[in-house]
């Protein structure tokens, strides 16, 4: 039964809230591999290169599962996919905590856990939020990004303390229980795919759209969308984004500890990026519905790129926290803006699949950086190889973003209600 729009509180914000909390957990763990990295390597006797390879395989599987999740959502709905992802996470965690050899651990921790997290990640919630919001789509998707940043801010130090207190196995099991306890009520009571006819538009905006409506255009096919430049520009930008995010999530703490910081200071430095990003997200979210989105995206990528160069050279605690604070202001938003631009350009019907395919670029970058961070350090004895590459890619993505279509541009065949 279709949801109805009632005066007062808009039900779509309940969906945003539930999706944000679930994203906090799923992305928080996906970006919070750092606290697990050295304890798992020491406990199982894995080298950094071996464990980096396992993490890299997981990043790629995470990306490959994204378009699959988008297709399943388009066919079966958001709720089924979230339930399926939660079940997969439970099975994967059970296998990970009992595995001892590299291959079983790679299957459960690297492959299966990544698929489950992908099914409970922002790609599962971007389509439903895009359907429920038109006027405030940018803000709604930025709130979803807040979950990702809160995951980094909260989960990194929490996981660090939990691993020290009860070990990595009990910590991973506790995560699975927490995700299940939150996902099931959200599926039963909050997540709804069917939005009101006019979403969150105000009465005068509805009248304007009705007056301007004409014959429905031909439906844009997925293969035609994949032949257009804006999709691949978003894809390449997300490649740089994934390279940087997963490099920091996997090798940020080991890099800082190799540079003389203790585990708690390192965790607080990484967590501070996510904490500050929560507030940065609120500001950027307001601007995203008022200013050109491509310009905001270029600023995010450029400042973040400079931040990666800064993180490698910090030597004092105040330098670490200052660099983390500045980087945190723009750490969020690239994924939210990218998905909003995809919805603007191609319409909400294709946004789930296109976002999933574009996110594959994100995870391809994450796979390479996860491997490069470990291999580069063991081969050359420095973190400059991976972190310097990350900064360079982000600056290139900033330039590329300036050539994205302007606000209001729509690919021919995309629905008018984008």
């Amino acid at each position: 039964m279709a949801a109805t729009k009632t005066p007062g509180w808009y039900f779509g914000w309940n969906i945003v809230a539930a999706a944000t909390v679930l994203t906090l957990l799923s992305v928080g763990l996906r970006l919070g591999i750092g606290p697990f990295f050295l304890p798992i390597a020491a406990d199982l006797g894995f080298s950094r290169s071996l464990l980096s390879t396992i993490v890299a395989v997981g990043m790629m599987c995470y990306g490959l599962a994204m378009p699959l999740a988008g297709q399943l959502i388009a066919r079966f709905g958001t709720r089924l996919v979230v339930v399926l992802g939660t079940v997969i996470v439970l099975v994967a965690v059970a296998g990970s905590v009992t595995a001892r050899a590299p291959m079983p651990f790679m299957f459960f921790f690297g492959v299966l856990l990544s698929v489950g997290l992908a099914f409970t990640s922002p790609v599962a919630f971007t389509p439903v939020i895009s359907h429920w919001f038109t006027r405030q789509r940018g803000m709604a998707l930025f709130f979803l990004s807040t979950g990702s940043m809160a995951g980094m801010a909260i989960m990194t130090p929490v996981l660090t303390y939990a691993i020290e207190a009860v070990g990595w196995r009990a910590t991973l099991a506790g995560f699975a229980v927490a995700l299940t306890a939150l996902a099931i009520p959200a599926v039963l009571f909050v997540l709804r795919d069917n939005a009101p006819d006019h979403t969150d538009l105000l009465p005068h905006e509805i009248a304007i759209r009705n007056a301007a409506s004409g014959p429905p255009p031909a439906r844009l096919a997925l293969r035609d969308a994949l032949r257009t430049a804006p999709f691949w520009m978003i894809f390449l930008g997300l490649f740089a984004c994934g390279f940087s995010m997963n490099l920091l999530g996997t090798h940020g703490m080991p890099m800082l500890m190799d540079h003389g910081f203790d585990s708690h200071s390192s965790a607080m430095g990484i967590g501070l990026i996510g904490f500050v990003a929560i507030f940065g997200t609120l500001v950027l979210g307001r601007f995203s519905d008022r200013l050109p989105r491509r310009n905001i995206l270029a600023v995010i990528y450029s400042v973040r790129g400079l931040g990666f160069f800064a993180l490698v050279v910090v030597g004092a605690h105040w330098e670490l926290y200052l660099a983390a604070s500045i980087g945190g202001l723009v750490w969020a938003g690239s994924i939210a803006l990218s998905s909003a631009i995809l919805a603007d350009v191609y319409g909400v019907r294709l946004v789930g699949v296109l976002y999933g395919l574009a996110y594959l670029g994100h995870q391809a970058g994450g796979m390479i950086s996860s491997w490069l961070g470990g291999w580069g350090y063991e081969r050359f004895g420095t973190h400059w190889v991976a972190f310097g590459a990350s900064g360079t890619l982000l600056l290139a993505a900033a330039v590329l973003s300036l050539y994205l279509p302007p606000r209001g541009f729509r690919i021919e065949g995309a629905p008018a209600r984008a």
Side-chain angles (χ1 to χ4, degrees):
M1 184 174 67
T4 58
K5 184 179 179 181
T6 57
W9 178 257
Y10 184 50
F11 187 81
W13 290 114
N14 296 339
I15 297 175
V16 171
T20 300
V21 173
L22 291 174
T23 296
L24 184 154
L25 288 176
S26 65
V27 177
L29 182 66
R30 182 72 279 170
L31 296 179
I33 298 298
F36 287 94
F37 194 85
L38 295 180
I40 290 176
D43 184 34
L44 298 181
F46 295 166
S47 67
R48 288 197 186 192
S49 294
L50 174 59
L51 187 53
S52 293
T53 301
I54 292 174
V55 173
V57 169
M59 295 300 179
M60 197 67 245
C61 292
Y62 188 68
L64 290 172
M66 291 286 185
L68 175 60
Q71 291 279 15
L72 291 175
I73 288 168
R75 185 168 182 178
F76 300 108
T78 304
R79 289 187 284 184
L80 178 64
V81 172
V82 172
V83 170
L84 179 59
T86 303
V87 172
I88 293 174
V89 167
L90 288 171
V91 174
V93 168
S96 297
V97 299
T98 56
R100 293 293 187 274
M103 290 307 296
F105 190 78
M106 177 181 289
F107 174 74
F108 287 109
F109 188 80
V111 177
L112 207 59
L113 181 60
S114 298
V115 173
L117 292 175
F119 281 23
T120 55
S121 74
V123 75
F125 307 116
T126 295
V128 65
I129 291 175
S130 296
H131 276 288
W132 274 82
F133 289 88
T134 302
R135 179 173 58 92
Q136 303 174 95
R137 180 180 295 149
M139 173 65 78
L141 290 173
F142 259 96
F143 274 119
L144 183 63
S145 287
T146 302
S148 299
M149 297 308 102
M152 177 184 291
I154 296 172
M155 294 288 283
T156 300
V158 167
L159 291 172
T160 300
Y161 284 105
I163 290 170
E164 291 183 354
V166 298
W168 69 268
R169 290 186 176 85
T171 299
L172 196 59
F175 163 83
V177 171
L179 179 67
T180 304
L182 291 170
I184 301 306
V187 166
L188 293 176
F189 304 113
V190 182
L191 297 178
R192 299 289 184 272
D193 287 304
N194 295 325
D197 289 337
H198 299 294
T199 64
D200 63 330
L201 292 173
L202 299 175
H204 73 278
E205 294 171 325
I206 297 173
I208 293 173
R209 293 216 170 195
N210 289 338
S213 62
R219 288 163 66 93
L220 180 68
L222 176 62
R223 63 179 179 274
D224 295 326
L226 294 178
R227 293 171 182 163
T228 59
F231 169 79
W232 291 105
M233 296 166 76
I234 292 291
F235 182 95
L236 292 172
L238 288 178
F239 176 91
C241 176
F243 191 103
S244 63
M245 280 193 166
N246 289 290
L247 176 67
L248 189 68
T250 304
H251 297 285
M253 275 190 63
M255 182 272 290
L256 292 172
M257 293 172 68
D258 288 334
H259 288 184
F261 294 95
D262 60 74
S263 61
H264 295 289
S265 298
S266 301
M268 290 302 297
I270 301 300
L272 184 60
I273 295 176
F275 180 76
V276 175
I278 297 173
F279 301 97
T281 298
L282 301 178
V283 176
L284 292 172
R286 291 191 176 276
F287 285 139
S288 70
D289 290 319
R290 302 176 185 179
L291 300 177
R293 286 173 177 159
R294 60 181 181 179
N295 294 352
I296 302 174
L297 188 59
V299 171
I300 288 172
Y301 281 144
S302 59
V303 176
R304 192 189 295 178
L306 295 174
F308 266 82
F309 290 111
L311 277 177
V312 187
V313 300
V314 295
H317 284 75
W318 71 268
E319 293 175 339
L320 169 62
Y321 299 145
L322 178 62
S325 298
I326 295 175
L329 290 174
V330 294
W331 189 254
S334 55
I335 294 175
L337 283 169
S338 297
S339 56
I341 292 171
L342 286 173
D344 292 341
V345 173
Y346 300 101
V348 296
R349 183 177 61 87
L350 291 177
V351 69
V353 179
L354 287 175
Y355 175 58
L357 290 170
Y359 208 89
L360 184 59
H362 186 280
Q363 291 312 113
M367 179 191 70
I368 294 172
S369 68
S370 297
W371 167 81
L372 183 62
W375 177 85
Y377 182 77
E378 288 189 342
R379 177 69 175 82
F380 300 102
T382 177
H383 292 281
W384 268 108
V385 175
F387 280 77
S390 180
T392 303
L393 285 171
L394 287 167
L395 293 177
V399 175
L400 190 64
S401 298
L402 295 174
Y403 293 92
L404 283 166
R407 184 78 177 274
F409 176 89
R410 185 171 294 118
I411 294 290
E412 183 180 355
R417 176 183 152 182

